[in-house]
Amino acid sequence: MIQLQPDLTPAALAPKVRRMFDLSAAKIRSLEKSWNPAQGSPVCTVNGNYTSRGWTEWTQGFQFGAAILQFDATGESEFLEIGRERTVAFMAPHLTHTGVHDHGFNNVSTYGNLLRLMAEGRIAENRWERRFYEVALKCSGAVQATRWSRTADGAGYIYSFNGPHSLFVDTMRSLRALVVSHLLGHTLVGENDRRISLLDRAIDHALTTAKYAVYYGQGRDVWDVPGRVAHESIFNVNDGNYRCPNSQQGYSPFTTWTRGLAWAMCGFAEQLEFLETQPEQRVVMGVFEQAARVTCDFYIENTPPDGVPYWDTGAPGLERLGDWRGRAADPYNPHEPVDSSAAAIAAQGLLRLGRHLSEDRYWQAGLAVCNTLLDEPYLSTGAAHQGLILHSVYHRPNGWNAAPGESSMWGDYHARELGLYLLRIAESRPYLKFWI
């Protein structure tokens, strides 16, 4: 269980955050120097160097978004130019990528961050540049929303790259694309010119995720532990009926892959923050709050005291570690890897939920995770290593990037986003949110 530290505050952590961004600058420059676009998007490190890993193109937005966050945190203009130029040069295919559920990762992290900076007055107002970002985000949300499967109860979900039968819990954080597109005044137009609300689709997807991917201790199966999360939910596409849980990257459908848990925590928490601004949508907030609470509670109770989880709470090698919930995570143990990327994502979910609910338990748990991630052995201080946060795992069942000391694009990006979130609070700057 995570050990809360009541004396931790964003201001107290600010020196660690600034140190992280000092190290981050060199990591971004190193990757810029070595990256070959012809080899695909960088995904994870091997022996400290970022490499591609063919599966789907879901990490390029984190690559260029990292530079934009670096500028946001430090004001160093070279990183703004990297983010701008690379977004224009390489991100257009991601706007119209019909084969993935990851538009909120790729495009809100790039076009969205740039539009947010302009709206905040951090970069100069330019009418045509603003419209460029707006059109990109409008398209991205609509394209993601076309990946739509109906459920038997008349609702639906954005289906994963696995196909129309498959709902991934990851998509909770990628819903940002639909919400931003809706707020920019865009509507998806379907057959016979039918106008489809992107906000309605985002809410329907979240409700379906809350109903089927998150467990509440209500006896759905014999392992129905409150807060357990299924990576994948399977539906019969002929009639829309739910069939079973599944997992692509976790140990089993009946255990909790902790990065999937983190996606749910962060996704539900920030959607709650957004729904606060939409009085007509308050009716669904109770469902979202229940899902956010139960997943955050599960994380707190099933994570070691320092706040960094092992990759799956049911991983078979954990029994060899003894009381793994009762002592700090060991990233160098020979049995099961930890996943620092899950911690970076989960920390933001804990902080946002704690702030939304004004509950110290979640807030202090989030700060405890930050306190660990922003220091060794997780913070990468070596100049030769291109990663920022060490001990991240990609796909443990496939054996991808499960060795100690490696990093991932999503782990590094979310650590930077987490650091920026803390800095803005510590410095009384505008609250960091994904919508404009």
Side-chain angles (χ1 to χ4, degrees), residues 150-172:
R150 287 284 177 191
T151 53
D153 60 4
Y157 57 91
I158 296 165
Y159 58 85
S160 80
F161 67 79
N162 274 350
H165 62 288
S166 168
L167 181 158
F168 273 12
V169 73
D170 317 32
T171 308
M172 268 309 302

Side-chain angles (χ1 to χ4, degrees), residues 13 25 38 105 193 200 272 291 313 320 431:
L13 290 173
F105 294 148
D193 291 340
D200 287 351
L272 276 171
T313 60
R320 299 183 184 181
Y431 188 74

Side-chain angles (χ1 to χ4, degrees), residues 209-250:
T209 301
K211 182 176 181 179
Y212 295 106
V214 180
Y215 287 74
Y216 302 94
Q218 298 172 343
R220 283 177 57 193
D221 58 38
V222 297
W223 296 285
D224 187 350
V225 177
R228 179 185 131 210
V229 169
H231 178 201
E232 186 177 31
S233 301
I234 303 296
F235 294 82
N236 181 331
V237 296
N238 292 324
D239 60 14
N241 279 305
Y242 172 75
R243 301 310 304 152
C244 61
N246 191 32
S247 189
Q248 298 293 313
Q249 296 186 54

Side-chain angles (χ1 to χ4, degrees), residues 100-369:
V100 297
H101 54 273
D102 300 312
H103 282 249
F105 294 148
N106 273 318
N107 300 318
V108 177
S109 300
T110 47
Y111 300 98
N113 275 329
L114 289 166
L115 180 60
R116 176 180 55 77
L117 286 169
M118 186 169 288
E120 293 175 345
R122 295 292 311 286
I123 58 179
E125 178 65 39
N126 181 292
R127 179 167 171 260
W128 282 103
E129 184 180 354
R130 175 185 283 271
R131 288 188 174 184
F132 170 71
Y133 299 145
E134 288 178 347
V135 169
L137 291 162
K138 287 176 181 181
C139 292
S140 178
V143 169
Q144 174 148 326
T146 62
R147 296 182 65 81
W148 192 248
S149 287
R150 287 284 177 191
T151 53
D153 60 4
Y157 57 91
I158 296 165
Y159 58 85
S160 80
F161 67 79
N162 274 350
H165 62 288
S166 168
L167 181 158
F168 273 12
V169 73
D170 317 32
T171 308
M172 268 309 302
R173 186 112 216 270
S174 208
L175 285 182
R176 298 159 31 126
L178 278 72
V179 173
V180 169
S181 183
H182 166 80
L183 291 175
L184 290 171
H186 198 51
T187 301
L188 174 63
V189 180
E191 300 291 339
N192 298 305
D193 291 340
R194 182 169 70 95
R195 299 180 71 80
I196 301 164
S197 166
L198 295 172
L199 180 58
D200 287 351
R201 285 220 160 161
I203 289 175
D204 277 355
H205 176 91
L207 290 172
T208 302
T209 301
K211 182 176 181 179
Y212 295 106
V214 180
Y215 287 74
Y216 302 94
Q218 298 172 343
R220 283 177 57 193
D221 58 38
V222 297
W223 296 285
D224 187 350
V225 177
R228 179 185 131 210
V229 169
H231 178 201
E232 186 177 31
S233 301
I234 303 296
F235 294 82
N236 181 331
V237 296
N238 292 324
D239 60 14
N241 279 305
Y242 172 75
R243 301 310 304 152
C244 61
N246 191 32
S247 189
Q248 298 293 313
Q249 296 186 54
Y251 174 63
S252 84
F254 304 103
T255 62
T256 295
W257 172 54
T258 52
R259 191 161 79 249
L261 173 67
W263 291 132
M265 294 163 62
C266 190
F268 279 112
E270 68 178 358
Q271 290 299 324
L272 276 171
E273 292 181 316
F274 163 68
L275 288 174
E276 281 187 313
T277 71
Q278 307 289 307
E280 71 278 9
Q281 300 294 339
R282 295 288 173 86
V283 66
V284 302
M285 289 186 69
V287 177
F288 285 31
E289 182 179 318
Q290 183 186 24
R293 278 186 179 275
V294 75
T295 51
C296 285
D297 287 343
F298 184 92
Y299 186 91
I300 291 170
E301 293 160 10
N302 291 276
T303 297
D306 61 352
V308 177
Y310 290 89
W311 73 280
D312 191 297
T313 60
L318 289 178
E319 65 174 317
R320 299 183 184 181
L321 297 177
D323 183 20
W324 56 270
R325 292 181 183 87
R327 62 176 182 273
D330 178 6
Y332 301 105
N333 83 85
H335 304 298
E336 298 289 0
V338 303
D339 189 359
S340 61
S341 71
I345 300 159
Q348 200 173 152
L350 289 164
L351 292 169
R352 290 184 182 276
L353 183 63
R355 179 181 179 274
H356 170 75
L357 298 174
S358 298
E359 292 193 16
D360 281 348
R361 180 172 185 260
Y362 299 119
W363 181 255
Q364 292 302 142
L367 292 177
V369 178

